[in-house]
Structure formats: structure tokens, C-alpha cells
């Protein structure tokens, strides 16, 4: 039974990916952050292991590793999906900018992502697939940002920084047998506590989750190439 | 302000700090060319009504930011780097924007290194520097989207420290900062100012 660790599994794409991999016969370690969401537990699957995880906290990441080791000494895949997002007041011409806001975005979306991989790397080394998957965004594409109007700083900056971190992981770990996936999942509807979807957003996370689970799992002919793709598997520039 | 060096060409240049030989050579070059040069010190006000050139020399490298994920990244060094490279630059621009709005040139200059290009880097260490500069690159793009319609232009530069002599790099930077980039009349599609790039001291363009 292959093992996957999925962050941000409380709702949305993370939750959908948990369902997908459980249905595909994987053991799923699901990082849970939101105490007031019980959608994950409601899956009630024997191969599901819910682990408390604050991706912005180094101690929490270390504790998650210990929780995995109580069950298995090998992981095949990490899906880094947890992210801080939303409207924030951090703009030029609206002084003073609260610089703790972008710092929180960096800490969670960029640094926490790389720290998680660093921490779980010894367990991943024991796995067969060695696949590292990251949920990024077109909002982190520096190249295409020239076409966007005024846009909040923190989220885009943090996703661009995360993409750099993944590039550096790729530089080192590809030669060790690791393969990588980066996706721009598109604008998904939020799933509410009652399990229903909000109106705003374009995609049902279950629809994106079905595609992403397959994309993450399926070998590519060009594994040596680090690429960010959307649900159509179109390439996006960094 | 720790230094105000009066020139005669009526253009004000703010240099946010002198932290390297390159910064020092660039400041001297602006002075030699007759610019009014202001060098910033924390907590001091400039005492001017406008700024024309904004030279952000923030380029923080932590001595312990040299480990890979196999060796163990020093996350305190990474945080210190992030609190300088993008965050200090964000605060500096916000603080001086009113003076730049009143200036004529409205040209902003930032330092980086080509190893902080996602497309080009071969680094396996230096997570703090590379990731923080990538965040800065995005900040520059987002700022450009906001400020270019107001007449602002941007320069992003790699002085190639250790490869190109600091004085020669400063000469390259001075030309890059003060010279307008090419345009073919009123054809907006052929105006290189619209093409935000990283240039290095040898005149090479790098992708983001």
C-alpha cells in the first residue's frame, strides 16, 4: 500500500485529494489545521490518518513526522496543498503596510512548504515513488504578472517564493530519484463546514481533485523537466 | 540621512544604504556626475520635496544561509533574510513614494542576483536569499503594474559581485539607471521600458 502525506486536508482540494487517494487504495496521512471543520473525519476510512498540522510552525511539522513514523517508515508522495490566502490590506498608497501580513504568507506558503519536505525527506527516501507535489498558482507566475492589474502583494509573492524553493529542491533531489509536480488548480469554490460549496469560484474541488490525483500519480515522459501546469495540463511559466 | 552631497543637475538621488563596494562606487558615480545624492539612515528624514531616482541597495545575504535540505536549512537565517530583502524594500518604497510622486524621473532601482531567477538557478543552497529575492521580484512586478501608469520605470540589476570589479559594475548600473531604454517613436509595442528584466553588469538579460 503506497503512502501519501497531504497538507491542508480540512476542506477544498486537500479534502478531495484525500478521498481520491483513499479510493485508489493509498494510505493517507492528512494534515488537519482547522479545528472547526469535521469533513475529514467524516470520511471515516481505515486507511486515513488525521494528523494535526500547522504548516507555519516548525514544531508542528516535527510532530507530524513523528506521527507518521508511528505507522510507517516510508512515504511515497507528499502533496503540499496548505496555503494562506484571502483579501488583505497590504498595498502601496494605503500606509502603513503591515509587514507581518506578507511575513505570515511567506512563513506558511513558502517556507513551511520547504520545511515540510526537509523534515519528511528521510521517510520519503525509504519510499518507492519519491514524488513531491505542490499546489501553486498562476498568481505566482512572475513572467505573466505583467499582464495583471493591481494585485495584492502577499499571496503572489509567497507563491513565487515557493516556486523558487521547489526549483531548488528539484536541483538537488531529481538526481536522487525524486520527481516533481507543480499545479495551478484554478479558482475553486470553497467548501463550507456543512460540506456544501460556496457560489463564488469556478471549479468544484472534487473535479480538480480527480484530475490532480491522476496527474500526481501518473509517470511522465519528461520527469527531468520542472513544469507548472493547469487542469488542462497546459504549461505556465514561472 | 548620513550624507547629502550637493550636485548641480537638479536631480535628487536616494541611495538607501552603503553596504558594499558596489554601493559606494555607485554613490560616488552619481556625485561625480553632478546629482544631489542622499544616503539614508534609519529614522532620519530627507528634508527634500522630491526624489527622482530611488536606489534600493538592500541585498542581504546571511552567512548561515548556505545549507541544503539534506544538510538542514538554517531557518533563522532564512527569516532574517526575508525580513530584509523583500520586507525592508517594501517599507522603503512605501515611505518614499510621496517624494517620488513629486519627482520627475520616477525611476526605481533594485539589486538582485541571477541565481535568484527561478528559470536559471542551479542552486541547492541559499534558500533564504533565492526565495526572498524571488518574492522581491514579484513585488517589483506588482509595483510596476500599479506605478507604471503613473510614469514610473524600473531597473533590476545584478552587479556580478566577485566577477566584475565593483567600480565597473557601478558604471554599468549608472548607465542602466539614467539612460532611457529604447523606443520606436510612439509605438507602445516597441518600447523596451515595458519589458521588465534583470540586467547584469556585463549587459546580459536574465529571465525571472
Amino acid at each position: 500500500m503506497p503512502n501519501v502525506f497531504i497538507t491542508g486536508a480540512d476542506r477544498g482540494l486537500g479534502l478531495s485529494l484525500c478521498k481520491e487517494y483513499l479510493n485508489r487504495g493509498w494510505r493517507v496521512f492528512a494534515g488537519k489545521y482547522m479545528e472547526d471543520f469535521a469533513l475529514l473525519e467524516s470520511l471515516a476510512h481505515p486507511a486515513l490518518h488525521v494528523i494535526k498540522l500547522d504548516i507555519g510552525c516548525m514544531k508542528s511539522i516535527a510532530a507530524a513526522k513523528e506521527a507518521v513514523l508511528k505507522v510507517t517508515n516510508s512515504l511515497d508522495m507528499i502533496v503540499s496543498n496548505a496555503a494562506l490566502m484571502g483579501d488583505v490590506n497590504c498595498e502601496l498608497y494605503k500606509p502603513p503596510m503591515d509587514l507581518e501580513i506578507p511575513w505570515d504568507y511567506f512563513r506558511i506558503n513558502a517556507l513551511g512548504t520547504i520545511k515540510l519536505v526537509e523534515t519528511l525527506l528521510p521517510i520519503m527516501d525509504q519510499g518507492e515513488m519519491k514524488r513531491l507535489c505542490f499546489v501553486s498558482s498562476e498568481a505566482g507566475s512572475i513572467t505573466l504578472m505583467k499582464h495583471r492589474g493591481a494585485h495584492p502583494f502577499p499571496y503572489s509573492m509567497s507563491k513565487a517564493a515557493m516556486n523558487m524553493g521547489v526549483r531548488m529542491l528539484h536541483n538537488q533531489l531529481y538526481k536522487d530519484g525524486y520527481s516533481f509536480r507543480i499545479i495551478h488548480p484554478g479558482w475553486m469554490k470553497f467548501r463550507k463546514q456543512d460540506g456544501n460549496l460556496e457560489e463564488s469560484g469556478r471549479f468544484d474541488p472534487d473535479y480538480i481533485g480527480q484530475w490532480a490525483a491522476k496527474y500526481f500519480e501518473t509517470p511522465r515522459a519528461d520527469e527531468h523537466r520542472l513544469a507548472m501546469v493547469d487542469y488542462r495540463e497546459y504549461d505556465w511559466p514561472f | 540621512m548620513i550624507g547629502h552631497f550637493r550636485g548641480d543637475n537638479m536631480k535628487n538621488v536616494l541611495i538607501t544604504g552603503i553596504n558594499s563596494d558596489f554601493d559606494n562606487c555607485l554613490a560616488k558615480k552619481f556625485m561625480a556626475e553632478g546629482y544631489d545624492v542622499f544616503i539614508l539612515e534609519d529614522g532620519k528624514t530627507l528634508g527634500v520635496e522630491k526624489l527622482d531616482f530611488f536606489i534600493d541597495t538592500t541585498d542581504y545575504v546571511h552567512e548561515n544561509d548556505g545549507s541544503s535540505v539534506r544538510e538542514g536549512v538554517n531557518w533563522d537565517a532564512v527569516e532574517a533574510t526575508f525580513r530584509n530583502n523583500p520586507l525592508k524594500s517594501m517599507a522603503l518604497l512605501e515611505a518614499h513614494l510621496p517624494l517620488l510622486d513629486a519627482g520627475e524621473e520616477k525611476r526605481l532601482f533594485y539589486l538582485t542576483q541571477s541565481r535568484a531567477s527561478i528559470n536559471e538557478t542551479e542552486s541547492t543552497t541559499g534558500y533564504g536569499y533565492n526565495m526572498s529575492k524571488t518574492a522581491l521580484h514579484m513585488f517589483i512586478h506588482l509595483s510596476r503594474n500599479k506605478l507604471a501608469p503613473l510614469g514610473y520605470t524600473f531597473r533590476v540589476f545584478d552587479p556580478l559581485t566577485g566577477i566584475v570589479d565593483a567600480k565597473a559594475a557601478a558604471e554599468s548600473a549608472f548607465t542602466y539607471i539614467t539612460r532611457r531604454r529604447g523606443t520606436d517613436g510612439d509605438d507602445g509595442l516597441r518600447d523596451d521600458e515595458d519589458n521588465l528584466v534583470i540586467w547584469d553588469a556585463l549587459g546580459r538579460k536574465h529571465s525571472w
Side-chain angles (χ1 to χ4, degrees):
Chain A
M1 176 184 280
N3 298 312
V4 58
F5 192 108
I6 301 172
T7 69
D10 310 83
R11 61 177 182 176
L13 181 58
L15 180 67
S16 299
L17 286 167
C18 288
K19 289 188 282 189
E20 283 293 322
Y21 283 110
L22 289 170
N23 289 337
R24 289 160 184 260
W26 288 58
R27 180 187 288 124
V28 174
F29 297 92
K32 178 182 173 65
Y33 175 74
M34 304 172 81
E35 295 289 342
D36 52 348
F37 270 69
L39 300 172
L40 191 53
E41 288 82 349
S42 70
L43 298 179
H45 195 288
L48 174 66
H49 300 263
V50 178
I51 296 174
K52 285 182 67 175
L53 177 62
D54 175 356
I55 198 70
C57 172
M58 304 289 175
K59 287 182 181 175
S60 179
I61 293 172
K65 175 187 176 183
E66 295 308 312
V68 172
L69 285 172
K70 287 179 181 173
V71 180
T72 180
N73 62 0
S74 73
L75 280 172
D76 295 275
M77 181 189 293
I78 295 172
V79 178
S80 176
N81 166 70
L84 181 61
M85 60 191 304
D87 293 329
V88 294
N89 181 22
C90 183
E91 296 180 42
L92 294 172
Y93 292 117
K94 287 187 180 178
M97 283 194 284
D98 180 357
L99 296 179
E100 288 306 304
I101 294 174
W103 167 245
D104 278 342
Y105 275 75
F106 301 150
R107 184 172 56 82
I108 294 167
N109 295 358
L111 308 184
T113 297
I114 306 304
K115 174 64 180 175
L116 179 79
V117 174
E118 177 191 68
T119 302
L120 297 180
L121 203 51
I123 310 176
M124 285 291 294
D125 283 340
Q126 304 305 312
E128 291 185 10
M129 186 177 278
K130 294 184 171 56
R131 185 145 304 150
L132 301 175
C133 309
F134 304 89
V135 178
S136 188
S137 170
E138 58 83 26
S141 167
I142 300 174
T143 305
L144 288 186
M145 193 48 72
K146 69 175 291 186
H147 301 301
R148 297 284 290 266
H151 196 68
F153 290 123
Y155 183 74
S156 294
M157 292 172 70
S158 69
K159 285 297 185 182
M162 188 199 85
N163 289 345
M164 168 59 88
V166 176
R167 168 68 76 185
M168 295 174 71
L169 292 174
H170 182 269
N171 287 346
Q172 180 166 25
L173 299 178
Y174 172 69
K175 63 178 172 51
D176 295 342
Y178 281 80
S179 49
F180 291 73
R181 301 286 185 274
I182 305 177
I183 65 165
H184 157 47
W187 186 24
M188 288 174 290
K189 297 175 184 292
F190 277 110
R191 195 172 294 285
K192 296 181 284 191
Q193 281 172 297
D194 62 7
N196 293 315
L197 294 174
E198 291 184 353
E199 285 297 316
S200 61
R202 184 176 175 196
F203 300 112
D204 184 327
D206 283 345
Y207 171 72
I208 299 297
Q210 285 173 11
W211 162 75
K214 183 179 178 185
Y215 177 68
F216 291 161
E217 190 177 8
T218 307
R220 282 184 1 207
D222 59 348
E223 291 288 5
H224 52 284
R225 186 175 72 96
L226 187 66
M228 177 162 65
V229 306
D230 65 19
Y231 72 100
R232 300 161 299 186
E233 298 188 22
Y234 290 2
D235 273 307
W236 287 73
F238 292 115
Chain B
M1 183 183 63
I2 58 172
H4 173 205
F5 305 90
R6 190 173 298 281
D8 57 10
N9 80 358
M10 307 299 285
K11 294 286 176 66
N12 291 341
V13 180
L14 175 67
I15 297 178
T16 63
I18 303 294
N19 308 306
S20 68
D21 289 344
F22 168 80
D23 300 346
N24 192 39
C25 290
L26 185 60
K28 286 180 177 175
K29 178 64 179 176
F30 271 106
M31 292 174 207
E33 295 292 334
Y35 289 78
D36 254 11
V37 176
F38 297 83
I39 299 169
L40 200 64
E41 184 180 40
D42 287 347
K44 300 286 180 64
T45 56
L46 289 177
V48 291
E49 295 180 351
K50 60 131 183 166
L51 286 173
D52 293 292
F53 294 95
F54 176 82
I55 312 296
D56 186 345
T57 53
T58 307
D59 194 36
Y60 184 83
V61 179
H62 196 289
E63 62 182 358
N64 294 326
D65 184 33
S67 302
S68 71
V69 287
R70 288 278 186 212
E71 298 156 335
V73 174
N74 183 322
W75 295 99
D76 291 334
V78 170
E79 176 173 353
T81 309
F82 266 84
R83 289 197 177 277
N84 276 275
N85 286 336
L87 295 180
K88 186 178 174 187
S89 290
M90 293 171 75
L92 283 167
L93 178 58
E94 179 186 48
H96 296 96
L97 211 45
L99 292 175
L100 287 157
D101 284 342
E104 294 169 7
E105 293 287 345
K106 295 183 171 58
R107 186 154 298 159
L108 312 181
F109 172 86
Y110 290 92
L111 283 175
T112 192
Q113 294 180 25
S114 55
R115 71 164 158 128
S117 157
I118 302 177
N119 290 290
E120 296 184 17
T121 192
E122 296 180 2
S123 301
T124 58
T125 64
Y127 279 88
Y129 186 87
N130 284 17
M131 293 173 72
S132 69
K133 282 294 185 180
T134 305
L136 177 74
H137 296 167
M138 179 60 88
F139 172 72
I140 293 168
H141 274 73
L142 293 165
S143 299
R144 191 276 297 273
N145 293 352
K146 180 94 172 175
L147 299 177
L150 306 177
Y152 281 82
T153 50
F154 291 75
R155 301 288 185 269
V156 188
F157 186 75
D158 179 355
L160 295 174
T161 302
I163 299 171
V164 173
D165 169 73
K167 187 176 179 183
E171 292 283 349
S172 295
F174 176 81
T175 306
Y176 183 33
I177 294 165
T178 56
R179 180 183 291 171
R180 198 201 187 284
R181 290 164 62 185
T183 182
D184 190 9
D186 296 325
D187 185 351
L189 294 176
R190 288 174 57 76
D191 188 343
D192 200 39
E193 285 291 359
D194 190 46
N195 185 22
L196 189 51
V197 296
I198 302 169
W199 273 11
D200 72 20
L202 294 176
R204 299 176 299 192
K205 187 178 97 172
H206 298 272
S207 63
W208 300 101

